[in-house]
Amino acid sequence: MTDHNGTKHTAGAFDIRTVIALLFAIYGIVLIAVGATSGAEAIAKSSGININLYSGIGMFVFAVVLVLWARLRPISVPAEDDTSES
């Protein structure tokens, strides 16, 4: 949609990259919390690697990248033409 000045609007919060980034950020924060509080037994099961912590950090970084991408290159919504062509 365009406003009265003829400028284009962006998708904003309805951009799919923002929604996916929110989901990745939530899951990443949960995994970081689980990884930070996991005991030595859970770390020993994964060959000494705190996989919850590292995957949570990776998911959170991916979410940040998606948000940056959505903010730096926004999707512009096409203008609706109110006149009908009959």
Side-chain angles (χ1 to χ4, degrees), residues 4 12 18 43 85:
H4 299 293
T18 307
I43 294 172
E85 297 178 23

Side-chain angles (χ1 to χ4, degrees), residues 55-76:
S55 60
I57 291 171
M59 291 176 83
F60 190 76
V61 168
F62 181 69
V64 170
V65 168
L66 279 178
V67 168
L68 286 175
W69 180 28
R71 297 294 178 237
L72 294 175
R73 300 215 28 176
I75 295 175
S76 56

Side-chain angles (χ1 to χ4, degrees), residues 1-85:
M1 287 178 22
T2 59
D3 60 7
H4 299 293
N5 297 335
T7 59
K8 292 184 179 179
H9 293 278
T10 59
F14 299 109
D15 189 354
I16 191 69
R17 297 173 293 187
T18 307
V19 175
I20 293 172
L22 178 65
L23 290 173
F24 268 93
I26 291 170
Y27 291 137
I29 290 170
V30 168
L31 283 175
I32 289 170
V34 169
T37 60
S38 63
E41 181 182 320
I43 294 172
K45 286 182 183 179
S46 61
S47 301
I49 300 171
N50 194 346
I51 195 68
N52 286 331
L53 182 65
Y54 293 136
S55 60
I57 291 171
M59 291 176 83
F60 190 76
V61 168
F62 181 69
V64 170
V65 168
L66 279 178
V67 168
L68 286 175
W69 180 28
R71 297 294 178 237
L72 294 175
R73 300 215 28 176
I75 295 175
S76 56
V77 178
E80 287 185 16
D81 190 14
D82 292 335
T83 61
S84 61
E85 297 178 23

